[in-house]
Structure formats: C-alpha cells, structure tokens
C-alpha cells in the first residue's frame, strides 16, 4: 500500500513547495473518487443480484399458482370421493337405501420405507389382501395407490396401531341397504364410487345427480329423500310367498307384482332368485335377472284375457255368442287342441273359464290378423315399456304376422312380452279401459289420468271383470279365491321351448288377477318358472300353483293396501246362463 509520504517524496523534480502541496491534494482526491465509484458499483451489483433472485422466486410462485392440481390416474379428486346420495324410502317413509360414512386405505409409495415389512404388517389385519399386488403397488414409483376401499372402524383402528409410514386413510361414503335383498331389483345398487348403476339408484343419477357428481358439486349435502311407490310391507309379503312357492314347487324362479290399477303405481314387485345390493357382485350371476321387467316370456293362457277383450271390444263378438270348440283346428302343419276339451259348442264365458284354445282362436280369427296385431300394440304388449326402471326388455313378435301366428298368439304362444307390461295391460281391462304407464314413484289418480290412454270401451272392461270373477268362482282359478276379497283372474300354463320345440315337461305358469273384482283396485300377477307337481299331486298347472300363490299374497297384503273384506250378502250369484 502506498503511503502519503510516497506520493510527496516521489513527486518529481519540482522544488516549489506550494506547487507540490497542490499536486498531492489532487492525487488524494482522485483516489477517493475512484474508491467511491467502486463502492457504488458493488452496491448496484448487489441490488441487481437480489432483484434477480426475488424475481425468480416470484415467477416460480406465480407458475405454481397457475398450474392445475396434479392428478393421479388411480384416484378421483377428494371432493368427488365424498359424493352423497339421497335416501330412498318407501311410500310410508321406511328407508330402503341410505349413505353411511366409512374410510378407505391408501398408500403413498414414495414414502414407504420397507415395502416387504409394510405388506407383512397389513396382512395381520387384512389377510385376504392380494399380497403380490399390494407389494407391487407399494414398490411402484407412483405417489398414490388404493389398497382397500371401505374399511370397518375396527380395521382402521388396527392398521393405525401398526404405525406404517406412507399409509393413510381417506373418508368415503358407502351405500347401505337395510332390507338387504327385499327390494333389490327395484332399488338397484351403486358401484364402489357410490354411483347408481342399476334400478332406481340409476334412475336417480339420471335425474341430474350423476352430472352434479361428475362436477364435484354433491359434497356432503343433505338431500331430500326420494320416495318410491313401493310399500315395504307388501313387498315383504310378496317376496316371502314367492320364496315359499319356489321351495314348494321346486321351481327355478318365481316373480310377481302388485299394481294399482288407477294410478299405475308399482306397490310391490319381486323376482327370485334375487341378490343383496350390499354385495352387488351377486347381481352379475346369470339367474339373478329381474324377470318382471327385464325378461320376456310367452305368457300362455293369460293372453286369452286380451283376445277375449279384443273380440268384445271390436263389436264382432258378443258375450252371448257361442263358438264350435269340437275336435281340433289344423293349420299350417299344426294341430290346435284344448287341454281340457269339452268337445262341444262353448259360449264366450265357457271359452274363458275352460281356457279353450279352439274357442279363443275362432274369436281371434273373426277379428283378423291386422286387427289382432293392432289391438296388442294398442295395449302396449308389443312395444318397449316406458317407466323409471332402467332394466326393461323389448317384447318379441313375428316379423310377419300370418294366420297361424294370430291363432297361436290368441292363446299365448308366438309373442314374448314382460310380465310387468302384461299386468299393466290387464289393469286397463279392469279400470274401465285406461292404459297407464307403470311408475315406481308416487302418483295420484289425477296425475295418472293425465297420462292415461283409453284403449277399450268401459263396457268391455265391465265384461272382462265379470269373466275374471267367473273364472275364480267356477273355472281354473278357484284356488285363488280369498274369503271376503272377491278375487278375479285368469290362469296361464305355457309350455317352454326346449331345443326349438315346445316341451310338455317344462312349463312357465302364471296367474293374472285383480281384486276386489267388483271394483278392482289392484292387479296381482305371479309367474313361476318350471314348477314341479306339489307333493301328492300329479300336475303342475297354473291353477294348482300360481293361483294359490296369488291367494296367499292377497290374503296377507290386502290390509296393508287398505282393502277391507266384505262378507255376507254383498256377493251376487254367478251363473253360466250365456
């Protein structure tokens, strides 16, 4: 470092003291100015560095703020995991389906210290876990993996006590069906993410809940319960009697419906075998089909009720007319015979109560092929039924109707339709002639009248009530009778097709009824698939199995339906005077 003396002594050859002093001062000021400029430069550089650093930090913060949340393909957003559904209740407010809170187990593999140890510990609480699969998940490079959905509180507590790092719980909603399988085919079920995929659960999603859920707008909201037209008490009776009949007649399936003829409300409907919606995987088994609305069948002689109504409503047949039912009818290579042939001329009521194929075919022949097809279409039996339930099948009919088709369809062979729409069409025969689409939601008579379509004349409906009552009083439906409740009905014993041919060994039986038949309020239809003769019996006709099923259902459920019994002189004596 140079000293002040260096600058003075090293000044050169000048000997003027004043001049030397001035020069030294100027040199000192120059050094001071240089040092000040250097300091300013350093400060400016420091400020620039700090500014650059803070700019980078600020830019990154803005970048993070604008970036979309990172998603992992294996999970949904947290809010969507908490989707709530409205309760489903029956017409009396009894809960059919509700939400309960639960938790699910997940892992963050990037935080797992030892995957082998974690798998071994989890196996002590969840021994049924897929251990190789869990190990792969825990060893993966992902940041989130589900390990088990919907744990019990006990399982959650036990896993918590294990203290496994990288393992956590996420709250979820689970659907619970307190009645188990009681009304499974109506209520339906949800998937693991609480989305409705069958029955009325799916219908509810279709009314906007599914869209809201997809948008994440249904988080923990209390929603108004959805009331169904179902009466849980009637539903229990119906299912109980179907189950008993399956056991009694060694049948492969049974199904039934209780339908309000004035509103179209389905008050009870069951199809066995059914499934527990709390374990929806059971619904995938092939025999768990909802036979009432998702299965189509040849309904056998129950179709004679529609053929008779068609003939009467056309004006070409009067209830006092008679038809030759002797022998048989030979047409198109087929021979039409009666099961219990009387081999004589039969009146229209006799054709009905003796279930004469020949007499019914002759009435259909009078109406004609086109008229026959038009009438069944008008009754809603040939087109897909419209209702809230998603599981609805489309009926089958011949591509081209020929005379042989019309003849066989007249007594229930050649057209396959669902039992539910058979009941709906029968309701029109009973209620004065109004065809009302079925509903699984409450509906008043006034609301039903707005959607009703008049399909037959009131006088035809009156005649059909008479014939149905007559058939239970004196015909094949005698076992459906219930003291005090005036039941009317029609049996149907249909041979099933085996290897392309009708087989007399396997049958699809049905009984179509209404009560009280003098002022019908409800239609009750039951079907029983491949029944065997009851112990001590030689036959398994509908009159011997389906009719008693209806009797038991009406006897046990009439009180719940508000139908009071009538005894004494209120009944009129029926006679075969036609």
């Amino acid at each position: 470092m140079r000293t002040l003396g260096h600058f003075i002594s090293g000044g050169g050859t000048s000997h003027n003291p004043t001049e030397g002093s001035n020069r030294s001062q100027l040199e000192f000021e120059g050094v001071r100015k240089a040092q000040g400029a250097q300091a300013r430069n350093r400060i400016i550089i420091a400020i620039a560095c700090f500014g650059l650093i803070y700019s980078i930090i600020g830019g990154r913060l803005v970048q993070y703020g604008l970036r979309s949340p990172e998603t992992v393909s294996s999970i949904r957003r947290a809010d969507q995991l908490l989707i709530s559904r409205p309760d489903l209740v029956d017409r009396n407010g009894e809960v059919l389906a509700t939400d309960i809170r639960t938790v699910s187990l997940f892992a963050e593999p990037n935080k797992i210290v030892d995957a082998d140890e974690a798998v071994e510990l989890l196996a002590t609480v969840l021994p049924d876990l897929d251990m190789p699969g869990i190990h792969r998940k825990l060893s993966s490079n992902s940041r989130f993996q589900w390990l088990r959905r919907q744990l019990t509180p006990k399982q959650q507590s036990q896993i918590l006590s294990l203290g496994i790092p990288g393992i956590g719980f996420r709250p979820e909603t689970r659907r619970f069906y307190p009645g188990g399988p009681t009304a499974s085919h109506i209520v339906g079920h949800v998937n693991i993410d609480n989305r409705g995929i069958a029955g009325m659960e799916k219908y509810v999603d279709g009314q906007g809940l599914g869209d809201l859920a997809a948008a994440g707008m249904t988080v923990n909201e209390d929603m108004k319960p959805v009331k169904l037209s179902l009466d849980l008490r009637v539903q229990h009776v119906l299912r109980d009697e179907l189950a008993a009949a399956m056991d009694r007649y060694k049948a492969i399936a049974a199904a039934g419906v209780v339908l309000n003829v004035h509103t179209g409300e389905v008050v009870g409907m069951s199809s066995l075998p059914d499934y527990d919606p709390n374990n929806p995987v059971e619904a995938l088994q092939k025999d768990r089909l909802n036979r009432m609305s998702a299965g189509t069948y040849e309904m056998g002689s129950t179709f004679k009720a529609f053929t008779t109504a068609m003939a009467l409503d056309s004006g070409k047949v009067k209830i006092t007319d008679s038809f030759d039912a002797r022998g048989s009818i030979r047409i198109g290579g087929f021979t039409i015979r009666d099961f219990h042939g009387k081999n004589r001329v039969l009146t229209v009521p006799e054709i009905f109560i003796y279930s004469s194929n020949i007499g019914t075919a002759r009435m259909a022949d009078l109406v004609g092929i086109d008229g026959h097809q038009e009438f069944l279409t008008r009754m809603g039996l040939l087109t897909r039924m419209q209702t809230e339930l998603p599981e609805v099948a489309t009926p089958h009919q011949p591509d081209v109707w020929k005379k042989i088709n019309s003849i066989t369809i007249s007594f229930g062979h050649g057209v396959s339709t669902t039992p539910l729409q058979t009941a709906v069409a029968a309701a029109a025969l009973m209620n004065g002639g109004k065809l009302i689409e079925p509903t699984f939601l409450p509906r008043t008579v006034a609301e039903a009248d707005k959607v009703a379509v008049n399909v037959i004349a009131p006088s035809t409906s009156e005649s059909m009530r008479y014939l149905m009552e007559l058939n239970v009083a004196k015909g094949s439906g005698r076992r459906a009778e219930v003291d005090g409740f005036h039941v009317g009905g029609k049996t149907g014993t249909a041979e099933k097709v085996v290897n392309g041919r009708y087989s007399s060994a396997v049958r699809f039986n049905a009984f179509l009824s209404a009560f009280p038949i003098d002022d019908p309020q409800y239609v009750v239809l039951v079907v029983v698939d491949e029944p065997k003769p009851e112990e001590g019996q030689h036959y398994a006709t509908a009159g011997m199995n389906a009719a008693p099923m209806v009797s038991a259902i009406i006897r046990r459920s009439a009180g719940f339906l508000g139908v009071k019994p009538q005894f004494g002189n209120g009944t009129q004596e029926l006679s075969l005077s036609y």
Side-chain angles (χ1 to χ4, degrees):
M1 180 179 177
R2 289 179 296 182
T3 64
L4 182 60
H6 169 78
F7 287 102
I8 295 174
S9 61
T13 58
S14 178
H15 299 285
N16 188 339
T18 305
E19 182 182 355
S21 177
N22 291 337
R23 189 170 61 188
S24 298
Q25 187 175 358
L26 290 172
E27 289 176 350
F28 177 76
E29 290 177 354
V31 170
R32 190 173 62 183
K33 289 180 178 177
Q35 289 177 335
Q38 188 177 22
R40 281 196 301 274
N41 290 338
R42 289 175 177 171
I43 292 172
I44 291 172
I45 292 172
I47 291 173
C49 289
F50 279 114
L52 178 61
I53 292 171
Y54 280 113
S55 297
I56 293 173
I57 294 174
R60 294 292 289 173
L61 290 174
V62 172
Q63 181 184 7
Y64 287 135
L66 295 177
R67 192 166 64 180
S68 300
E70 185 176 4
T71 57
V72 180
S73 60
S74 61
I75 61 172
R76 298 179 185 277
R77 294 203 311 269
D79 54 355
Q80 291 186 353
L81 296 172
L82 294 174
I83 294 169
S84 295
R85 304 183 62 81
D87 286 353
L88 300 184
V89 300
D90 82 338
R91 63 189 306 116
N92 301 311
E94 297 293 333
V95 176
L96 302 170
T98 190
D99 279 352
I100 58 174
R101 293 296 182 189
T102 183
V103 295
S104 290
L105 178 67
F106 71 89
E108 297 174 277
N110 59 321
K111 297 180 180 178
I112 296 293
V113 177
D114 187 335
D116 294 331
E117 181 185 19
V119 170
E120 291 178 3
L121 290 173
L122 288 173
T124 62
V125 179
L126 304 171
D128 59 334
L129 275 180
D130 173 19
M131 297 307 166
I134 295 297
H135 190 276
R136 282 195 298 273
K137 289 182 177 180
L138 297 182
S139 305
S140 69
N141 295 323
S142 63
R143 299 176 60 186
F144 188 100
Q145 291 287 345
W146 284 121
L147 300 184
R148 169 62 66 86
R149 307 289 292 271
Q150 300 176 349
L151 297 177
T152 66
K154 182 180 179 181
Q155 289 171 329
Q156 182 190 18
S157 176
Q158 290 174 329
I159 294 174
L160 272 174
S161 66
L162 297 175
I164 306 173
I167 298 293
F169 303 92
R170 186 174 289 233
E172 288 197 289
T173 299
R174 178 182 179 183
R175 202 62 162 167
F176 178 62
Y177 303 90
T182 304
S184 55
H185 282 122
I186 296 177
V187 174
H189 56 271
V190 300
N191 64 10
I192 192 68
D193 292 319
N194 227 27
R195 309 295 176 86
I197 57 174
M200 294 303 288
E201 292 278 30
K202 185 174 182 179
Y203 166 77
V204 170
D205 273 26
Q207 301 308 299
L209 181 64
D211 294 337
L212 291 174
M217 298 175 64
T218 59
V219 182
N220 294 331
E221 294 180 356
D222 291 331
M223 286 175 277
K224 186 179 179 181
V226 176
K227 180 178 287 189
L228 306 187
S229 58
L230 204 66
D231 187 316
L232 194 55
R233 301 167 301 179
V234 176
Q235 179 71 17
H236 171 74
V237 168
L238 178 63
R239 184 176 182 274
D240 190 49
E241 289 299 331
L242 294 176
M246 277 188 65
D247 181 61
R248 187 183 310 127
Y249 307 120
K250 310 302 179 193
I252 64 171
V257 64
V258 179
L259 181 78
N260 187 313
V261 301
H262 297 297
T263 64
E265 294 171 291
V266 176
V267 183
M269 190 177 82
S270 186
S271 177
L272 300 181
D274 52 13
Y275 68 98
D276 186 349
N278 293 303
N279 184 24
V281 69
E282 292 180 2
L284 300 177
Q285 299 177 24
K286 64 178 182 180
D287 64 340
R288 308 306 166 97
L289 170 75
N290 178 3
R291 288 168 169 77
M292 291 306 296
S293 64
T296 59
Y297 306 91
E298 293 184 344
M299 294 300 295
S301 294
T302 56
F303 250 48
K304 290 171 182 168
F306 304 115
T307 306
T308 305
M310 171 187 71
L312 296 175
D313 202 63
S314 70
K316 297 180 179 178
V317 176
K318 297 182 179 60
I319 200 168
T320 52
D321 287 344
S322 299
F323 292 85
D324 187 356
R326 292 173 293 184
S328 60
I329 298 176
R330 184 75 180 170
I331 181 172
F334 295 91
T335 301
I336 311 299
R337 297 188 178 88
D338 283 344
F339 187 68
H340 295 294
K342 299 299 177 185
N343 200 31
R344 62 177 173 83
V345 174
L346 299 177
T347 64
V348 170
E350 288 175 328
I351 290 171
F352 195 79
I353 67 170
Y354 297 141
S355 200
S356 169
N357 293 336
I358 298 172
T360 306
R362 295 198 188 285
M363 287 194 288
D365 195 33
L366 271 182
V367 175
I369 300 171
D370 293 339
H372 194 179
Q373 187 176 18
E374 185 278 329
F375 180 81
L376 294 185
T377 303
R378 193 195 319 161
M379 299 298 291
L381 291 165
L382 302 182
T383 53
R384 191 174 188 273
M385 181 175 53
Q386 299 298 316
T387 187
E388 299 88 5
L389 212 62
E391 296 82 18
V392 174
T394 301
H396 303 284
Q397 61 173 313
D399 294 334
V400 178
W401 281 49
K402 300 178 181 177
K403 188 170 183 176
I404 180 63
N405 300 119
S406 180
I407 293 297
T408 58
I409 290 169
S410 72
F411 51 84
H413 289 287
V415 159
S416 299
T417 191
T418 69
L420 178 56
Q421 62 194 118
T422 303
V424 171
L429 301 185
M430 297 292 102
N431 66 12
K434 296 181 293 185
L435 184 67
I436 306 170
E437 289 181 353
T439 181
F440 293 84
L441 300 173
R443 182 195 279 161
T444 65
V445 174
E447 291 169 340
D449 285 342
K450 293 179 181 177
V451 298
V453 178
N454 291 320
V455 288
I456 61 171
S459 58
T460 303
S461 175
E462 185 179 356
S463 296
M464 292 310 302
R465 290 196 295 268
Y466 166 76
L467 293 175
M468 296 276 272
E469 183 179 14
L470 190 67
N471 192 44
V472 170
K474 301 180 180 294
S476 58
R478 286 189 292 271
R479 287 182 172 84
E481 199 165 17
V482 183
D483 288 343
F485 289 105
H486 307 159
V487 180
K490 181 72 187 80
T491 52
T493 304
E495 295 178 349
K496 293 181 69 174
V497 175
V498 178
N499 297 325
R501 299 179 63 87
Y502 285 107
S503 170
S504 60
V506 287
R507 296 185 175 90
F508 184 84
N509 291 357
F511 191 77
L512 177 62
S513 71
F515 80 103
I517 194 63
D518 49 332
D519 181 19
Q521 301 298 315
Y522 295 94
V523 160
V524 180
L525 170 66
V526 300
V527 299
V528 53
D529 199 353
E530 296 188 16
K532 313 299 183 298
E534 192 176 8
E535 187 174 351
Q537 302 291 336
H538 300 288
Y539 301 102
T541 61
M544 301 186 74
N545 44 53
M549 292 166 62
V550 166
S551 174
I553 292 167
I554 293 175
R555 186 185 308 110
R556 293 178 59 186
S557 63
F560 299 136
L561 295 169
V563 179
K564 297 180 180 178
Q566 294 182 356
F567 299 97
N569 298 324
T571 59
Q572 296 179 350
E573 186 68 22
L574 297 168
S575 65
L576 286 175
S577 58
Y578 292 104

